[in-house]
Amino acid sequence: MSLLLSSIFYLSSFVPRILSPSATESNNGEPDISGQTFDYIVVGGGLTGLTVANRLSEDSSRTVLVIENGYKVNNAVTQVPSFANSIMANLMYDITSAPDANTGGTHPVYVGNVVGGGSVVNGMAFDRAAAADYNAWEQLGNSGWNFDSLLHYFKKSTTFTPPTAKNVEEFGITYDASYYGTNGPVQASFPRFEYQDTKTIWAAFKASGVPTPKEHASGNAVGAYWIPTALQPNTQTRSDARNAYYDPVKGRSNLVLVTGKTVNEILFKYGLLSGYTANGVQYKSRTDGSVKKVYAKREVIMAAGSIFTPQLLQLSGLGPRSVLQAAGVSVKKEMPAVGANMQDHPNANVIYDLQNLSFPNPYSGADPAYNASVWAQYNAEKNGPLTQAHGSSLAFLSLQTITSKWSQIVSAVKAQNARTYLPSVYDDSSLLRGFTKQRDIIANLHASPDAAVGEFPMVPFGLAISALQRPLSRGTVTLNPSNKYGNPVVQWNSMQNPVDRQIIVEMVRWTREHWAQSVLDKFSPIELTPGVQAQTDDEIINDLMQQKALQASFAHMSGSCSMMPESYGGCVGGDLLVHGVKSLSIVDASIIPLIPATHLQATMYAVAEKAADLIKGRNGDSFSIWNLFGFGRRH
């Protein structure tokens, strides 16, 4: 069975003959917010925006507006787990990156354009990084941002349901429920179905001698392990920010969500002594094109994500002077940090032709009769292959595990001139100072057995992904000078740093050794991409590029408005307030200063929960202040 895929996602072969018709729910009945004033305006109704809005509106004396470009969508595609294997292009913005020289051209930029944001269109993985990844955030000058202090919020956001006893026994699933919550909004659980070939894939990882921690959520997230997915256990449907954080509280009179509204500027008032204070936003209606304004008494809270939050700050006069002037935007505060430091998980797709896959497998739905039976099983029993998203097994490996050259690679990182491989915006001394600090932390994490450098998803078919977790290369997000209100210019600069390129090559070589193990002989694997003819570093990279098998993104864009001191080139401090202005905060993935080795979903729920407590605390809202100081510690 040939597998010719170059995407980071694969298209499930299990499809209903007739999809649910309700593509977009009506937004009729939404209030007219024009000219009105709320305590808080949350820009973006995605994962972090809905989480923060839920928590802020717990105080009935505070009014909260969430303003979202997308609409409410709830159908089979957004709810049946198997569709998490598909690219839901109609629920995403239509954005194409700038040419990315080292991965071979332009790439789609996957950003959810729907109420619930990425939590509605992602692969449903619900994992955490190693403790060292989060501790690195504090090392970059963000007091209180470490694994121990975030653990309370990881728990607060979740309700954990263990796997079935049958699957524990048959597949050897391990877990420790004490590291999850018992009454949080997001459901973290396991599908009732596992593919039989998963046992063989697991056997190969164990034969490799990689660590197999019992519970990765404890902060020990290096090795091969089982993870829950964002899955409602009873209905076996997706658990997302909308059905977890918004739907249960949408009746609150102090919480307003409006859709189909495109925010295009943050409004400020100016005082000679106080400087700039955010006091509202300007937005454009997607239905009639009208441009209106709405105001905030306490804070404007940016939750527009790593692509649109920096764009909105730049449109509002906060950003690199050259970028603003080129787009005709008046400079309120020169901030090179806005749109810099962008990171993602670039990846190489090694593809194998496999034989003798067990039945059923991810392609069995191509048989119409079996496809129909699978849908009947799901509808009647909430079981079977349709309960599977991307699976519940992952491997995140340290550099020491991947290659014997790890020491030389670490030495190369430490010996580099930090400025050499960075974009031009890093001529700014504070940005360069901050990156140099990041580089030193990355070198230490690369050298550590307690931090992962690469992800190798375990999937029971022939797509073997090698995803770099901690790149040294840095991308940018900037206004389009010819159309400032259009999509921003997304420049990944993937593998601009040669160390990133070398690590991806070493990951491909590890993958080849992995698939050469005798335990996998039953599949008779034949490498299709890049192909065995590619042996040198250059041959591997060039052939992957030619075959469109190098990807700049895992849809994990982060860091473009980083949380670091301003002296390190940060955009926000540990309080998540934008440096140098008042009443403007950011709560989305753009604040991540150093991307963690994980899928970002679970991390961003925890970040948003903590953000809500920070905002409540400084505005005198009711909340428990002890949450901020890490009393939900590991044990």
Side-chain angles (χ1 to χ4, degrees), residues 516-546:
Q517 294 180 93
S518 59
V519 71
L520 296 175
D521 283 350
K522 64 173 286 188
F523 298 126
S524 301
I526 298 175
E527 183 182 316
L528 301 177
T529 301
V532 295
Q533 79 288 341
Q535 292 297 318
T536 68
D537 289 12
D538 288 344
E539 287 171 347
I540 290 171
I541 292 295
N542 291 339
D543 285 13
L544 285 168
M545 285 179 62
Q546 290 174 10

PDB file of all heavy atoms in Angstrom, residues 516-546:
ATOM      1  N   ALA A 516      14.473  -0.127  10.441  1.00  0.00           N
ATOM      2  CA  ALA A 516      15.269  -1.298  10.048  1.00  0.00           C
ATOM      3  C   ALA A 516      15.269  -2.380  11.114  1.00  0.00           C
ATOM      4  O   ALA A 516      15.837  -3.459  10.910  1.00  0.00           O
ATOM      5  CB  ALA A 516      16.709  -0.873   9.747  1.00  0.00           C
ATOM      6  N   GLN A 517      14.587  -2.137  12.249  1.00  0.00           N
ATOM      7  CA  GLN A 517      14.540  -3.128  13.311  1.00  0.00           C
ATOM      8  C   GLN A 517      13.759  -4.372  12.870  1.00  0.00           C
ATOM      9  O   GLN A 517      12.765  -4.284  12.150  1.00  0.00           O
ATOM     10  CB  GLN A 517      13.871  -2.537  14.562  1.00  0.00           C
ATOM     11  CG  GLN A 517      14.666  -1.419  15.219  1.00  0.00           C
ATOM     12  CD  GLN A 517      13.933  -0.912  16.439  1.00  0.00           C
ATOM     13  OE1 GLN A 517      14.157  -1.369  17.544  1.00  0.00           O
ATOM     14  NE2 GLN A 517      13.039   0.040  16.229  1.00  0.00           N
ATOM     15  N   SER A 518      14.193  -5.507  13.375  1.00  0.00           N
ATOM     16  CA  SER A 518      13.552  -6.766  12.990  1.00  0.00           C
ATOM     17  C   SER A 518      12.094  -6.834  13.414  1.00  0.00           C
ATOM     18  O   SER A 518      11.281  -7.495  12.755  1.00  0.00           O
ATOM     19  CB  SER A 518      14.327  -7.950  13.580  1.00  0.00           C
ATOM     20  OG  SER A 518      14.371  -7.863  15.000  1.00  0.00           O
ATOM     21  N   VAL A 519      11.760  -6.144  14.501  1.00  0.00           N
ATOM     22  CA  VAL A 519      10.382  -6.197  14.988  1.00  0.00           C
ATOM     23  C   VAL A 519       9.409  -5.588  13.979  1.00  0.00           C
ATOM     24  O   VAL A 519       8.211  -5.886  14.003  1.00  0.00           O
ATOM     25  CB  VAL A 519      10.269  -5.493  16.357  1.00  0.00           C
ATOM     26  CG1 VAL A 519      10.425  -3.992  16.228  1.00  0.00           C
ATOM     27  CG2 VAL A 519       8.942  -5.830  17.030  1.00  0.00           C
ATOM     28  N   LEU A 520       9.923  -4.743  13.066  1.00  0.00           N
ATOM     29  CA  LEU A 520       9.071  -4.127  12.055  1.00  0.00           C
ATOM     30  C   LEU A 520       9.151  -4.829  10.705  1.00  0.00           C
ATOM     31  O   LEU A 520       8.552  -4.377   9.723  1.00  0.00           O
ATOM     32  CB  LEU A 520       9.441  -2.643  11.891  1.00  0.00           C
ATOM     33  CG  LEU A 520       9.203  -1.775  13.126  1.00  0.00           C
ATOM     34  CD1 LEU A 520       9.719  -0.360  12.901  1.00  0.00           C
ATOM     35  CD2 LEU A 520       7.729  -1.739  13.501  1.00  0.00           C
ATOM     36  N   ASP A 521       9.878  -5.956  10.647  1.00  0.00           N
ATOM     37  CA  ASP A 521      10.023  -6.689   9.382  1.00  0.00           C
ATOM     38  C   ASP A 521       8.687  -7.141   8.810  1.00  0.00           C
ATOM     39  O   ASP A 521       8.535  -7.286   7.588  1.00  0.00           O
ATOM     40  CB  ASP A 521      10.926  -7.911   9.575  1.00  0.00           C
ATOM     41  CG  ASP A 521      12.396  -7.555   9.649  1.00  0.00           C
ATOM     42  OD1 ASP A 521      12.733  -6.387   9.364  1.00  0.00           O
ATOM     43  OD2 ASP A 521      13.203  -8.434  10.022  1.00  0.00           O
ATOM     44  N   LYS A 522       7.705  -7.380   9.675  1.00  0.00           N
ATOM     45  CA  LYS A 522       6.409  -7.869   9.202  1.00  0.00           C
ATOM     46  C   LYS A 522       5.763  -6.928   8.198  1.00  0.00           C
ATOM     47  O   LYS A 522       4.947  -7.332   7.369  1.00  0.00           O
ATOM     48  CB  LYS A 522       5.455  -8.088  10.381  1.00  0.00           C
ATOM     49  CG  LYS A 522       5.089  -6.823  11.148  1.00  0.00           C
ATOM     50  CD  LYS A 522       4.011  -7.069  12.193  1.00  0.00           C
ATOM     51  CE  LYS A 522       2.665  -7.246  11.560  1.00  0.00           C
ATOM     52  NZ  LYS A 522       1.555  -7.296  12.553  1.00  0.00           N
ATOM     53  N   PHE A 523       6.167  -5.618   8.234  1.00  0.00           N
ATOM     54  CA  PHE A 523       5.587  -4.636   7.324  1.00  0.00           C
ATOM     55  C   PHE A 523       6.352  -4.527   6.006  1.00  0.00           C
ATOM     56  O   PHE A 523       5.917  -3.810   5.106  1.00  0.00           O
ATOM     57  CB  PHE A 523       5.535  -3.255   7.986  1.00  0.00           C
ATOM     58  CG  PHE A 523       4.677  -3.188   9.210  1.00  0.00           C
ATOM     59  CD1 PHE A 523       5.184  -2.717  10.413  1.00  0.00           C
ATOM     60  CD2 PHE A 523       3.353  -3.594   9.171  1.00  0.00           C
ATOM     61  CE1 PHE A 523       4.397  -2.648  11.542  1.00  0.00           C
ATOM     62  CE2 PHE A 523       2.542  -3.531  10.295  1.00  0.00           C
ATOM     63  CZ  PHE A 523       3.066  -3.060  11.497  1.00  0.00           C
ATOM     64  N   SER A 524       7.508  -5.201   5.905  1.00  0.00           N
ATOM     65  CA  SER A 524       8.363  -5.106   4.705  1.00  0.00           C
ATOM     66  C   SER A 524       8.523  -3.653   4.256  1.00  0.00           C
ATOM     67  O   SER A 524       8.229  -3.289   3.108  1.00  0.00           O
ATOM     68  CB  SER A 524       7.777  -5.925   3.551  1.00  0.00           C
ATOM     69  OG  SER A 524       7.647  -7.281   3.915  1.00  0.00           O
ATOM     70  N   PRO A 525       8.979  -2.766   5.150  1.00  0.00           N
ATOM     71  CA  PRO A 525       8.995  -1.328   4.825  1.00  0.00           C
ATOM     72  C   PRO A 525       9.971  -0.984   3.708  1.00  0.00           C
ATOM     73  O   PRO A 525      11.107  -1.451   3.682  1.00  0.00           O
ATOM     74  CB  PRO A 525       9.432  -0.689   6.146  1.00  0.00           C
ATOM     75  CG  PRO A 525      10.174  -1.752   6.880  1.00  0.00           C
ATOM     76  CD  PRO A 525       9.530  -3.049   6.495  1.00  0.00           C
ATOM     77  N   ILE A 526       9.508  -0.192   2.764  1.00  0.00           N
ATOM     78  CA  ILE A 526      10.338   0.336   1.683  1.00  0.00           C
ATOM     79  C   ILE A 526      10.260   1.860   1.756  1.00  0.00           C
ATOM     80  O   ILE A 526       9.167   2.435   1.678  1.00  0.00           O
ATOM     81  CB  ILE A 526       9.868  -0.156   0.311  1.00  0.00           C
ATOM     82  CG1 ILE A 526       9.981  -1.678   0.216  1.00  0.00           C
ATOM     83  CG2 ILE A 526      10.676   0.511  -0.811  1.00  0.00           C
ATOM     84  CD1 ILE A 526       9.413  -2.247  -1.075  1.00  0.00           C
ATOM     85  N   GLU A 527      11.409   2.502   1.890  1.00  0.00           N
ATOM     86  CA  GLU A 527      11.432   3.964   2.021  1.00  0.00           C
ATOM     87  C   GLU A 527      11.149   4.618   0.668  1.00  0.00           C
ATOM     88  O   GLU A 527      11.865   4.411  -0.306  1.00  0.00           O
ATOM     89  CB  GLU A 527      12.791   4.422   2.549  1.00  0.00           C
ATOM     90  CG  GLU A 527      12.858   5.927   2.783  1.00  0.00           C
ATOM     91  CD  GLU A 527      14.216   6.389   3.267  1.00  0.00           C
ATOM     92  OE1 GLU A 527      14.790   5.720   4.166  1.00  0.00           O
ATOM     93  OE2 GLU A 527      14.717   7.404   2.746  1.00  0.00           O
ATOM     94  N   LEU A 528      10.093   5.409   0.643  1.00  0.00           N
ATOM     95  CA  LEU A 528       9.723   6.134  -0.571  1.00  0.00           C
ATOM     96  C   LEU A 528      10.273   7.558  -0.564  1.00  0.00           C
ATOM     97  O   LEU A 528      10.671   8.081  -1.602  1.00  0.00           O
ATOM     98  CB  LEU A 528       8.196   6.178  -0.715  1.00  0.00           C
ATOM     99  CG  LEU A 528       7.469   4.837  -0.789  1.00  0.00           C
ATOM    100  CD1 LEU A 528       5.968   5.059  -0.859  1.00  0.00           C
ATOM    101  CD2 LEU A 528       7.946   4.032  -1.989  1.00  0.00           C
ATOM    102  N   THR A 529      10.241   8.192   0.604  1.00  0.00           N
ATOM    103  CA  THR A 529      10.662   9.587   0.737  1.00  0.00           C
ATOM    104  C   THR A 529      11.537   9.724   1.967  1.00  0.00           C
ATOM    105  O   THR A 529      11.126   9.280   3.034  1.00  0.00           O
ATOM    106  CB  THR A 529       9.432  10.517   0.874  1.00  0.00           C
ATOM    107  OG1 THR A 529       8.608  10.358  -0.276  1.00  0.00           O
ATOM    108  CG2 THR A 529       9.846  11.968   1.009  1.00  0.00           C
ATOM    109  N   PRO A 530      12.747  10.283   1.878  1.00  0.00           N
ATOM    110  CA  PRO A 530      13.355  10.801   0.655  1.00  0.00           C
ATOM    111  C   PRO A 530      13.859   9.711  -0.289  1.00  0.00           C
ATOM    112  O   PRO A 530      14.169   9.984  -1.440  1.00  0.00           O
ATOM    113  CB  PRO A 530      14.525  11.630   1.177  1.00  0.00           C
ATOM    114  CG  PRO A 530      14.896  10.964   2.468  1.00  0.00           C
ATOM    115  CD  PRO A 530      13.599  10.500   3.065  1.00  0.00           C
ATOM    116  N   GLY A 531      13.968   8.471   0.187  1.00  0.00           N
ATOM    117  CA  GLY A 531      14.489   7.377  -0.625  1.00  0.00           C
ATOM    118  C   GLY A 531      15.916   7.052  -0.242  1.00  0.00           C
ATOM    119  O   GLY A 531      16.685   7.920   0.167  1.00  0.00           O
ATOM    120  N   VAL A 532      16.275   5.786  -0.375  1.00  0.00           N
ATOM    121  CA  VAL A 532      17.574   5.333   0.109  1.00  0.00           C
ATOM    122  C   VAL A 532      18.731   5.906  -0.691  1.00  0.00           C
ATOM    123  O   VAL A 532      19.894   5.834  -0.268  1.00  0.00           O
ATOM    124  CB  VAL A 532      17.658   3.793   0.096  1.00  0.00           C
ATOM    125  CG1 VAL A 532      16.667   3.204   1.077  1.00  0.00           C
ATOM    126  CG2 VAL A 532      17.397   3.248  -1.312  1.00  0.00           C
ATOM    127  N   GLN A 533      18.448   6.496  -1.852  1.00  0.00           N
ATOM    128  CA  GLN A 533      19.521   7.104  -2.624  1.00  0.00           C
ATOM    129  C   GLN A 533      20.089   8.338  -1.904  1.00  0.00           C
ATOM    130  O   GLN A 533      21.218   8.763  -2.177  1.00  0.00           O
ATOM    131  CB  GLN A 533      19.021   7.507  -4.018  1.00  0.00           C
ATOM    132  CG  GLN A 533      18.215   8.800  -4.083  1.00  0.00           C
ATOM    133  CD  GLN A 533      16.821   8.693  -3.471  1.00  0.00           C
ATOM    134  OE1 GLN A 533      16.316   7.587  -3.307  1.00  0.00           O
ATOM    135  NE2 GLN A 533      16.216   9.816  -3.129  1.00  0.00           N
ATOM    136  N   ALA A 534      19.337   8.919  -0.982  1.00  0.00           N
ATOM    137  CA  ALA A 534      19.765  10.111  -0.252  1.00  0.00           C
ATOM    138  C   ALA A 534      20.538   9.671   0.986  1.00  0.00           C
ATOM    139  O   ALA A 534      19.945   9.135   1.926  1.00  0.00           O
ATOM    140  CB  ALA A 534      18.557  10.959   0.138  1.00  0.00           C
ATOM    141  N   GLN A 535      21.839   9.896   0.995  1.00  0.00           N
ATOM    142  CA  GLN A 535      22.671   9.437   2.103  1.00  0.00           C
ATOM    143  C   GLN A 535      23.416  10.577   2.808  1.00  0.00           C
ATOM    144  O   GLN A 535      23.490  10.604   4.030  1.00  0.00           O
ATOM    145  CB  GLN A 535      23.668   8.389   1.610  1.00  0.00           C
ATOM    146  CG  GLN A 535      23.009   7.078   1.194  1.00  0.00           C
ATOM    147  CD  GLN A 535      22.298   6.386   2.345  1.00  0.00           C
ATOM    148  OE1 GLN A 535      22.809   6.329   3.463  1.00  0.00           O
ATOM    149  NE2 GLN A 535      21.103   5.854   2.081  1.00  0.00           N
ATOM    150  N   THR A 536      23.965  11.512   2.069  1.00  0.00           N
ATOM    151  CA  THR A 536      24.675  12.624   2.715  1.00  0.00           C
ATOM    152  C   THR A 536      23.657  13.610   3.267  1.00  0.00           C
ATOM    153  O   THR A 536      22.473  13.582   2.914  1.00  0.00           O
ATOM    154  CB  THR A 536      25.588  13.348   1.723  1.00  0.00           C
ATOM    155  OG1 THR A 536      24.769  14.024   0.740  1.00  0.00           O
ATOM    156  CG2 THR A 536      26.529  12.375   1.024  1.00  0.00           C
ATOM    157  N   ASP A 537      24.119  14.518   4.117  1.00  0.00           N
ATOM    158  CA  ASP A 537      23.228  15.541   4.674  1.00  0.00           C
ATOM    159  C   ASP A 537      22.543  16.320   3.556  1.00  0.00           C
ATOM    160  O   ASP A 537      21.311  16.529   3.580  1.00  0.00           O
ATOM    161  CB  ASP A 537      24.013  16.511   5.557  1.00  0.00           C
ATOM    162  CG  ASP A 537      24.475  15.880   6.853  1.00  0.00           C
ATOM    163  OD1 ASP A 537      24.390  14.644   6.982  1.00  0.00           O
ATOM    164  OD2 ASP A 537      24.938  16.622   7.744  1.00  0.00           O
ATOM    165  N   ASP A 538      23.325  16.763   2.581  1.00  0.00           N
ATOM    166  CA  ASP A 538      22.762  17.561   1.494  1.00  0.00           C
ATOM    167  C   ASP A 538      21.770  16.759   0.667  1.00  0.00           C
ATOM    168  O   ASP A 538      20.715  17.284   0.271  1.00  0.00           O
ATOM    169  CB  ASP A 538      23.880  18.092   0.587  1.00  0.00           C
ATOM    170  CG  ASP A 538      24.693  19.204   1.245  1.00  0.00           C
ATOM    171  OD1 ASP A 538      24.219  19.761   2.261  1.00  0.00           O
ATOM    172  OD2 ASP A 538      25.788  19.506   0.738  1.00  0.00           O
ATOM    173  N   GLU A 539      22.082  15.502   0.411  1.00  0.00           N
ATOM    174  CA  GLU A 539      21.165  14.678  -0.374  1.00  0.00           C
ATOM    175  C   GLU A 539      19.845  14.485   0.352  1.00  0.00           C
ATOM    176  O   GLU A 539      18.759  14.543  -0.262  1.00  0.00           O
ATOM    177  CB  GLU A 539      21.812  13.327  -0.668  1.00  0.00           C
ATOM    178  CG  GLU A 539      22.931  13.382  -1.696  1.00  0.00           C
ATOM    179  CD  GLU A 539      23.703  12.077  -1.805  1.00  0.00           C
ATOM    180  OE1 GLU A 539      23.533  11.201  -0.920  1.00  0.00           O
ATOM    181  OE2 GLU A 539      24.483  11.934  -2.768  1.00  0.00           O
ATOM    182  N   ILE A 540      19.918  14.243   1.665  1.00  0.00           N
ATOM    183  CA  ILE A 540      18.679  14.042   2.437  1.00  0.00           C
ATOM    184  C   ILE A 540      17.817  15.295   2.387  1.00  0.00           C
ATOM    185  O   ILE A 540      16.613  15.234   2.091  1.00  0.00           O
ATOM    186  CB  ILE A 540      19.017  13.653   3.887  1.00  0.00           C
ATOM    187  CG1 ILE A 540      19.599  12.233   3.927  1.00  0.00           C
ATOM    188  CG2 ILE A 540      17.776  13.745   4.780  1.00  0.00           C
ATOM    189  CD1 ILE A 540      20.164  11.833   5.267  1.00  0.00           C
ATOM    190  N   ILE A 541      18.407  16.452   2.666  1.00  0.00           N
ATOM    191  CA  ILE A 541      17.639  17.696   2.678  1.00  0.00           C
ATOM    192  C   ILE A 541      17.129  18.034   1.290  1.00  0.00           C
ATOM    193  O   ILE A 541      15.947  18.369   1.098  1.00  0.00           O
ATOM    194  CB  ILE A 541      18.495  18.851   3.234  1.00  0.00           C
ATOM    195  CG1 ILE A 541      18.767  18.641   4.733  1.00  0.00           C
ATOM    196  CG2 ILE A 541      17.803  20.192   2.992  1.00  0.00           C
ATOM    197  CD1 ILE A 541      17.539  18.689   5.616  1.00  0.00           C
ATOM    198  N   ASN A 542      17.976  17.944   0.286  1.00  0.00           N
ATOM    199  CA  ASN A 542      17.571  18.320  -1.068  1.00  0.00           C
ATOM    200  C   ASN A 542      16.465  17.423  -1.601  1.00  0.00           C
ATOM    201  O   ASN A 542      15.510  17.897  -2.235  1.00  0.00           O
ATOM    202  CB  ASN A 542      18.781  18.285  -2.005  1.00  0.00           C
ATOM    203  CG  ASN A 542      19.783  19.382  -1.707  1.00  0.00           C
ATOM    204  OD1 ASN A 542      19.445  20.390  -1.084  1.00  0.00           O
ATOM    205  ND2 ASN A 542      21.023  19.199  -2.138  1.00  0.00           N
ATOM    206  N   ASP A 543      16.579  16.123  -1.337  1.00  0.00           N
ATOM    207  CA  ASP A 543      15.543  15.225  -1.843  1.00  0.00           C
ATOM    208  C   ASP A 543      14.221  15.427  -1.101  1.00  0.00           C
ATOM    209  O   ASP A 543      13.146  15.343  -1.706  1.00  0.00           O
ATOM    210  CB  ASP A 543      16.002  13.768  -1.748  1.00  0.00           C
ATOM    211  CG  ASP A 543      17.022  13.418  -2.830  1.00  0.00           C
ATOM    212  OD1 ASP A 543      17.542  14.351  -3.482  1.00  0.00           O
ATOM    213  OD2 ASP A 543      17.296  12.224  -3.024  1.00  0.00           O
ATOM    214  N   LEU A 544      14.295  15.673   0.194  1.00  0.00           N
ATOM    215  CA  LEU A 544      13.077  15.981   0.939  1.00  0.00           C
ATOM    216  C   LEU A 544      12.412  17.243   0.386  1.00  0.00           C
ATOM    217  O   LEU A 544      11.181  17.307   0.234  1.00  0.00           O
ATOM    218  CB  LEU A 544      13.387  16.164   2.426  1.00  0.00           C
ATOM    219  CG  LEU A 544      13.657  14.890   3.232  1.00  0.00           C
ATOM    220  CD1 LEU A 544      14.242  15.240   4.595  1.00  0.00           C
ATOM    221  CD2 LEU A 544      12.391  14.066   3.409  1.00  0.00           C
ATOM    222  N   MET A 545      13.222  18.257   0.085  1.00  0.00           N
ATOM    223  CA  MET A 545      12.673  19.492  -0.477  1.00  0.00           C
ATOM    224  C   MET A 545      12.017  19.242  -1.826  1.00  0.00           C
ATOM    225  O   MET A 545      10.894  19.697  -2.084  1.00  0.00           O
ATOM    226  CB  MET A 545      13.775  20.544  -0.611  1.00  0.00           C
ATOM    227  CG  MET A 545      14.199  21.189   0.690  1.00  0.00           C
ATOM    228  SD  MET A 545      15.539  22.395   0.454  1.00  0.00           S
ATOM    229  CE  MET A 545      14.737  23.586  -0.621  1.00  0.00           C
ATOM    230  N   GLN A 546      12.704  18.521  -2.686  1.00  0.00           N
ATOM    231  CA  GLN A 546      12.168  18.274  -4.020  1.00  0.00           C
ATOM    232  C   GLN A 546      10.863  17.495  -3.967  1.00  0.00           C
ATOM    233  O   GLN A 546       9.984  17.668  -4.825  1.00  0.00           O
ATOM    234  CB  GLN A 546      13.201  17.525  -4.861  1.00  0.00           C
ATOM    235  CG  GLN A 546      14.421  18.356  -5.241  1.00  0.00           C
ATOM    236  CD  GLN A 546      15.493  17.532  -5.949  1.00  0.00           C
ATOM    237  OE1 GLN A 546      15.245  16.380  -6.316  1.00  0.00           O
ATOM    238  NE2 GLN A 546      16.666  18.110  -6.137  1.00  0.00           N
TER     239      GLN A 546
END
